[in-house]
């Protein structure tokens, strides 16, 4: 597979000009657009999509916040402005299927936009990867070797409890022959990273400790060498937690899709 | 004597019914203080939830020890009510052990007692003993082991007393049944008139009979009758008490799980009035004339701004604290406790429910602080674990809406985030024009 093809990012507007509609829209999200660390996740995802010959495009400059953080913080008016504008854009392009790596965007598209007139089939990137691995595994090869590597997975609340996606990320780890070292609180009992409900965008309220520290203690207890997650906010919170314990050299924090990257391309946490 | 007893009994029953009727009216009208909300559809799934979550206590079994003990009390409670039915028939008709007589007449046996009635009564006695043991263990868990779940800022004097009262009440009621049966059996052996042969009732025979067998007939009758009256008046008193107590869940669990949310838990309710406003602003919808309905209030300031289901939630809560025990904010020492939010809703709803005008100077904010409201991560762990389908997050988010839209008093960080979304279309202070920069080096042929 040549490098240029791997890195190709088709734009929705360009395809529309040629009268083409891709099968999927890849919704990058604000973290993927602006957060340097999470941009790496998007790059890894785009490589994987190209390798598996997924027919996709991105909105690029036309993308905007889904409105989720505004809504969770109580600003319904701002949410409605964002959501209705987005729905206009999406419907103009006749988008039917959306892939997104962000569980908060996922939840908003899937469960909240329908009431506003936006109906899409929404697929989280871990669901897509899991699907590719079961249908067409030859198209997707990890460039790393996880045989015997201890990997743990942190459930994102908006993916897990809220949308029942527990197994696809775990199946991917197993497929890559990693040893899944589960934490104490997982799946429906999973502990939040502390960023949900717009906490990502404000100082924590007074308390005994930060939530991500509580969660990181559990991550460290799992004795995993890699902690994976599938949410940009969880990734930030866990990376900060690992840094707070000065364990960056012992344990990497990766998004599930980054398991397909070459070992030296993988960012250190 | 019999006639006087019957009249007294009938009077007591009618009095209890009257009080219960008034309490039920108060509770239903208080729930109706909430905004109208149509909950329906998918009736099959709703009944399944009632069957599995309420009746089957599915969610309780995530904590097996508490679930098992709770199951003992629950099964005991339901089945022992069959015996209460006999109590009521006996009391109204002035008989003793109506079912024993009916069964014995219908199928007379040589042993002198009906085997079915004997098995039934022995079954009740085993359950009675099970209830007593479970209640004692629960009391130990609360007061000796001091399990963390039963503490917290909201667990003030009344909630703690309430929990203990219920357990003690049940132990006393159950002891009365066993004592009554014990005295009854000695009276049967002495051939006292009216005491029909029940056959041996093992538990009371083993424990109570040795304590009372040396008493004379008069004393035994006094004990037996006292326990009988004590039990039935106790049950009726308990029924009334329950309506003031957290113990109301024994009834409310059923409607509350029926009306429980079926959508994915992270789905926030859509504010249609805001949506329509924005649609008009964006030119997506023509302004509708004549339909200019004044929006009373954005978000939740008081229980009257909540939906009725939110208030039903509050009357269903039995303050078990599972929600608070899994809340990430509470676990890390923040002030937020989902149980407190729900208890506050009930307290406030009862205040408004009692007021004649349904309007006073107060609001939910007298009970719930902003610090609590702002600490929620909307992780939905509290909703997921609640054994009776209560949703504390809906209340918190409703209050946030009021703070953001009516007061503009959200935390400064959030106001900044709102600003960023408005101007940069991202929650951070980043230029909107940089949104697609991430792809620049990935698309070598672009630009």
């Amino acid at each position: 597979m040549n490098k240029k093809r791997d890195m190709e990012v088709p734009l929705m507007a360009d395809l529309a000009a040629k009268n083409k509609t891709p099968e999927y829209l890849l919704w990058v999200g604000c973290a993927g657009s602006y957060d340097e660390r999470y941009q790496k996740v998007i790059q890894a995802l785009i490589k994987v999509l190209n390798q598996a010959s997924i027919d996709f495009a991105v909105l690029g400059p036309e993308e905007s916040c889904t409105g989720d953080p505004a809504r969770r913080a109580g600003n319904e008016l701002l949410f409605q402005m964002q959501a209705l504008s987005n729905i206009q854009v999406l419907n103009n392009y006749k988008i039917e299927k959306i892939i997104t790596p962000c569980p908060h965007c996922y939840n908003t598209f899937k469960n909240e936009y329908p009431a506003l007139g936006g109906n899409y089939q929404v697929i989280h990137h871990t669901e897509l990867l899991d699907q590719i691995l079961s249908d067409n595994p030859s198209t997707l090869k990890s460039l790393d070797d996880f045989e015997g590597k201890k990997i743990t997975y942190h459930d994102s609340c908006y993916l897990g409890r809220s949308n029942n996606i527990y197994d696809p990320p775990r199946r991917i780890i197993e497929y890559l022959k990693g040893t899944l070292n589960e934490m104490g609180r997982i799946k429906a009992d999973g502990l939040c990273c502390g960023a949900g409900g717009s906490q990502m965008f404000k100082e924590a309220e007074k308390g005994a400790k930060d939530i991500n520290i509580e969660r990181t203690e559990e991550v460290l207890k799992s004795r995993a060498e890699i902690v994976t997650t599938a949410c940009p906010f969880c990734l930030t919170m866990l990376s900060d937690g690992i840094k707070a314990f000065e364990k960056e050299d012992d344990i990497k924090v990766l998004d599930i899709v980054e398991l397909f990257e070459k070992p030296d391309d993988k960012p250190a946490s | 004597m019999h006639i006087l007893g019957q009249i007294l009994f009938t009077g007591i029953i009618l009095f209890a019914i009257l009080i219960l009727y008034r309490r039920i009216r108060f509770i239903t009208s208080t729930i109706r203080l909430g905004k109208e909300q149509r909950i329906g559809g998918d009736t099959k799934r709703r009944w399944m939830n009632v069957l599995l979550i309420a009746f089957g206590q599915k969610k309780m079994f995530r904590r097996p020890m508490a679930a098992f003990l709770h199951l003992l009390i629950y099964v005991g409670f339901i089945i022992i009510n069959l015996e209460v039915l006999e109590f009521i028939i006996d009391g109204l008709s002035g008989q003793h052990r109506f079912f024993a007589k009916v069964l014995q007449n219908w199928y007379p046996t040589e042993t002198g007692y009906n085997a079915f009635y004997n098995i039934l009564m022995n079954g009740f006695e085993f359950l009675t003993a099970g209830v007593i043991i479970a209640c004692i263990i629960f009391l130990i868990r609360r007061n000796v082991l001091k399990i963390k779940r039963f503490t917290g800022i909201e667990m003030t004097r009344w909630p703690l007393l309430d929990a203990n009262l219920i357990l003690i009440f049940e132990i006393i009621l159950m002891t009365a049944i066993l004592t009554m049966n014990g005295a009854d059996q000695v009276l049967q052996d002495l051939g006292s008139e009216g005491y029909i042969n029940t056959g041996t009732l093992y538990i009371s025979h083993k424990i109570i009979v040795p304590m009372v067998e040396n008493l004379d007939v008069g004393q035994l009758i006094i004990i037996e009758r006292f326990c009988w009256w004590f039990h039935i008046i106790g049950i009726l008193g308990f029924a009334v008490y329950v309506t003031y107590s957290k113990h109301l869940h024994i009834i409310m669990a059923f409607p509350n799980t029926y009306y429980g949310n079926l959508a994915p838990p992270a789905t926030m309710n859509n504010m249609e009035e805001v949506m329509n406003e924005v649609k008009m602003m964006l030119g997506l919808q023509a302004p509708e004339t004549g339909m200019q309905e004044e929006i009373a209030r954005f978000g939740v300031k008081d229980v009257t701004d909540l939906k009725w289901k939110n208030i039903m939630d509050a009357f269903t809560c039995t303050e078990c604290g599972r929600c608070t025990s899994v809340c990430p904010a509470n676990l890390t020492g923040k002030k937020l406790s989902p149980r407190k939010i729900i208890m506050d809703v009930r307290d406030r709803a009862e205040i408004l429910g009692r007021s004649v005008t349904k309007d006073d100077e107060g609001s939910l904010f007298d009970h719930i602080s902003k610090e609590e409201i702002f600490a929620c991560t909307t992780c939905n762990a509290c909703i997921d674990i609640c054994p009776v389908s209560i949703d504390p997050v809906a209340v918190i988010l409703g209050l946030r809406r009021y703070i953001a839209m009516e007061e503009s008093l959200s935390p400064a960080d959030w106001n900044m985030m709102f600003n960023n979304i408005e101007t940069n279309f991202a929650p951070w202070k980043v230029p909107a024009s940089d949104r697609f920069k991430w792809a620049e080096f990935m698309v070598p042929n672009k630009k």
Side-chain angles (χ1 to χ4, degrees):
Chain A
M1 204 141 301
N2 83 49
K3 186 119 184 157
K4 204 170 131 197
R5 170 90 181 100
D6 268 8
M7 296 293 217
E8 213 170 282
V9 189
L11 254 184
M12 214 52 151
D14 293 349
L15 292 182
K18 291 178 210 154
N19 246 337
K20 278 196 243 171
T21 313
E23 190 181 354
Y24 297 99
L25 167 74
L26 170 64
W27 182 273
V28 174
C30 296
S33 302
Y34 292 106
D35 181 297
E36 252 176 71
R37 169 68 186 87
Y38 205 69
Q39 285 175 350
K40 298 259 192 303
V41 176
I42 298 297
Q43 287 165 19
L45 177 57
I46 283 179
K47 278 189 223 167
V48 163
L49 294 180
N50 282 325
Q51 277 167 26
S53 306
I54 301 291
D55 179 23
F56 77 99
V58 298
L59 281 173
E62 287 183 279
E63 214 186 85
S64 184
C65 173
T66 59
D68 163 81
R71 190 173 229 198
R72 260 70 202 166
N75 195 335
E76 181 75 3
L77 189 71
L78 185 53
F79 165 76
Q80 294 285 347
M81 306 256 281
Q82 287 299 116
L84 288 166
S85 313
N86 285 332
I87 290 169
Q88 260 188 303
V89 173
L90 296 170
N91 289 356
N92 274 342
Y93 283 121
K94 303 201 170 27
I95 286 159
E96 285 169 7
K97 296 181 186 174
I98 302 175
I99 304 167
T100 183
C102 173
H104 296 266
C105 298
Y106 176 96
N107 181 69
T108 309
F109 285 133
K110 187 169 185 169
N111 299 322
E112 299 190 343
Y113 277 17
L116 285 76
N119 293 289
Y120 317 101
Q121 190 190 329
V122 192
I123 304 135
H124 189 255
H125 74 307
T126 54
E127 288 181 295
L128 183 79
L129 294 178
D130 180 48
Q131 190 69 42
I132 297 171
L133 287 176
S134 79
D135 293 353
N136 229 340
S138 60
T139 59
L140 204 53
K141 286 235 160 37
S142 175
L143 302 168
D144 200 351
D145 178 20
F146 295 102
E147 190 92 46
K149 272 246 169 83
K150 286 175 283 195
I151 304 176
T152 195
Y153 172 73
H154 162 81
D155 287 283
S156 145
C157 304
Y158 274 67
L159 208 54
R161 250 189 310 274
S162 298
N163 287 294
N164 255 315
I165 301 177
Y166 297 116
D167 298 329
R170 291 181 166 82
R171 272 200 295 267
I172 295 167
I173 293 170
E174 271 162 25
Y175 182 86
L176 295 175
K177 305 226 160 45
T179 307
L180 189 56
N181 268 25
E182 293 278 22
M183 289 183 265
R185 289 173 278 194
I186 55 161
K187 299 187 180 176
D189 295 319
L191 182 77
C192 176
C193 71
S198 292
Q199 298 296 329
M200 184 73 191
F201 306 103
K202 78 182 221 330
E203 284 298 313
E205 299 302 313
K206 278 201 307 284
K209 67 163 127 168
D210 285 335
I211 297 171
N212 67 330
I213 296 297
E214 168 91 8
R215 188 51 162 172
T216 305
E217 284 170 357
E218 218 173 346
V219 170
L220 294 174
K221 229 188 270 168
S222 78
R223 313 188 70 84
E225 297 151 79
I226 301 171
V227 51
T228 54
T229 181
C231 168
F233 300 150
C234 296
L235 192 76
T236 304
M237 296 308 261
L238 292 178
S239 301
D240 289 352
I242 298 288
K243 269 180 215 148
F245 284 98
E246 296 180 350
K247 292 282 181 195
E248 299 103 302
D249 296 335
D250 304 334
I251 180 163
K252 276 187 178 168
V253 188
L254 296 178
D255 186 276
I256 287 282
V257 71
E258 290 180 304
L259 296 176
F260 294 88
E261 290 272 271
K262 251 194 291 194
D264 43 40
D265 284 357
K266 275 187 205 127
S269 42
Chain B
M1 182 62 207
H2 266 173
I3 283 293
L4 268 180
Q6 275 168 268
I7 292 169
L8 183 64
F9 184 83
T10 312
I12 290 170
I13 292 266
L14 289 176
F15 183 62
I17 289 174
L18 177 73
I19 297 179
L20 277 176
Y21 170 75
R22 292 181 52 141
R23 285 298 297 164
I24 291 165
R25 260 193 34 180
F26 171 77
I27 291 165
T28 46
S29 69
T30 306
I31 290 172
R32 287 209 186 101
L33 288 176
K35 277 196 199 158
E36 227 179 290
Q37 169 188 29
R38 287 193 52 181
I39 303 178
D42 224 339
T43 318
K44 210 173 135 197
R45 228 178 116 200
R46 292 186 181 282
W47 281 112
M48 274 311 275
N49 280 348
V50 173
L51 199 67
L52 292 175
I53 299 174
F55 195 70
Q57 304 184 20
K58 183 175 124 188
K59 297 219 165 180
M60 289 292 288
F61 283 88
R62 283 167 75 165
R63 307 224 170 137
M65 175 69 175
F68 172 70
L69 294 169
H70 182 264
L71 185 72
L72 270 182
I73 298 182
Y74 171 74
V75 172
F77 175 82
I78 291 182
I79 296 181
I80 291 165
N81 269 325
L82 283 177
E83 195 170 2
V84 173
L85 183 68
E86 187 179 44
F87 272 56
I88 292 175
I89 295 173
D90 286 352
L92 292 174
S93 62
Q95 301 180 65
H96 184 63
R97 296 198 186 267
F98 168 78
F99 288 137
K101 264 190 227 167
V102 170
L103 288 166
Q104 183 65 11
N105 289 341
W106 176 60
Y107 190 79
T109 52
E110 280 175 27
T111 51
Y113 66 90
N114 182 277
F116 179 70
Y117 188 80
N118 177 263
I119 290 167
L120 204 65
M121 284 298 133
N122 270 305
F124 290 160
E125 284 209 345
F126 274 99
L127 287 171
T128 305
V131 171
I132 293 175
I133 291 166
C135 285
I136 291 172
I137 297 175
F138 277 160
L139 280 171
I140 293 171
R141 279 161 60 91
R142 277 181 183 273
N143 301 293
V144 182
L145 302 177
K146 294 194 191 294
I147 287 182
K148 188 163 180 285
R149 179 153 67 82
F150 302 126
T151 61
I153 45 167
E154 66 277 22
M155 299 312 279
T156 49
R157 258 181 75 191
W158 162 243
L160 290 175
L161 179 67
D162 187 20
N164 282 328
L165 277 180
I166 293 158
L167 293 169
I168 292 166
F169 219 125
E170 289 188 27
I171 291 173
I172 294 174
L173 287 177
M174 295 299 120
T175 309
I177 288 195
L178 290 179
T179 310
M180 179 190 83
N181 282 352
D184 195 316
Q185 283 174 89
V186 180
L187 285 164
Q188 291 168 31
D189 288 345
L190 295 173
S192 187
E193 198 203 327
Y195 287 93
I196 185 169
N197 193 349
T198 57
T200 306
L201 306 176
Y202 292 94
I203 290 181
S204 57
H205 199 268
K206 188 105 189 131
I207 298 170
I208 307 293
V209 168
M211 292 196 275
V212 297
E213 62 191 346
N214 296 325
L215 300 177
D216 63 42
V217 174
Q219 287 168 321
L220 285 166
I221 291 179
I222 288 172
I223 291 176
E224 194 275 335
R225 283 293 85 194
F226 176 80
C227 287
W228 188 90
W229 281 96
F230 181 84
H231 185 78
I232 190 68
I233 293 173
I235 287 276
L236 294 172
F238 193 57
V240 173
Y241 175 81
V242 158
T243 65
Y244 291 92
S245 154
K246 76 180 191 96
H247 212 51
L248 193 54
H249 80 292
I250 57 174
I251 309 290
M252 298 303 289
F254 296 90
N256 211 59
T257 43
Y258 180 85
Y259 290 113
N261 178 30
L262 298 182
T267 315
M268 274 179 78
N269 72 309
N270 192 37
M271 294 180 71
E272 273 179 43
E273 62 276 23
V274 181
M275 179 181 75
N276 292 334
E277 196 78 15
V278 174
K279 274 186 176 171
M280 280 183 253
M281 273 166 56
L282 295 174
L284 298 171
Q285 187 176 291
E288 280 176 62
T289 45
M291 224 203 65
Q292 295 293 359
E293 206 182 313
E294 190 66 22
I295 299 167
R297 188 178 277 155
F298 290 114
V300 172
K301 181 189 182 191
D302 209 343
V303 287
T304 45
D305 302 317
L306 290 168
K307 304 275 168 64
W308 62 259
K309 172 63 168 65
N310 302 126
I311 304 178
M312 186 187 259
D313 276 356
F315 278 103
T316 307
C317 178
T318 193
E319 299 162 18
C320 73
R322 280 172 178 73
C323 52
T324 296
S325 76
V326 297
C327 172
N330 191 276
L331 281 171
T332 54
K334 316 289 189 295
K335 210 177 151 201
L336 172 64
S337 163
R339 169 174 55 191
K340 176 178 178 293
I341 302 289
I342 295 300
M343 288 167 70
D344 289 340
V345 169
R346 179 164 175 178
D347 288 347
R348 176 65 191 150
E350 289 194 358
I351 291 173
L352 264 197
R354 276 193 300 270
S355 100
V356 191
T357 55
K358 309 293 173 211
D359 194 17
D360 60 14
E361 295 293 292
S363 80
L364 261 177
F365 288 100
D366 304 338
H367 303 254
I368 306 173
S369 68
K370 290 189 178 161
E371 191 181 334
E372 295 163 65
I373 298 161
F374 294 148
C376 176
T377 70
T378 70
C379 77
N380 291 328
C382 54
I383 299 176
D384 194 77
I385 201 149
C386 180
V388 288
S389 303
I390 293 171
D391 179 354
V393 181
V395 180
I396 295 170
L397 291 174
L399 293 163
R400 278 190 188 176
R401 279 176 168 168
Y402 178 81
I403 297 168
M405 290 191 283
E406 294 277 356
E407 299 187 314
S408 300
L409 285 176
S410 299
D413 288 345
W414 276 356
N415 282 331
M416 217 134 75
M417 177 260 289
F418 296 152
N419 238 319
N420 290 331
I421 294 179
E422 266 174 63
T423 50
N424 314 324
F425 309 110
W428 298 291
K429 202 169 171 57
V430 288
S433 55
D434 281 1
R435 182 166 279 270
F436 198 36
K437 256 194 163 166
W438 62 270
E440 264 179 8
F441 62 99
M442 297 191 71
V443 200
N445 54 345
K446 276 264 148 196
K447 282 188 189 166

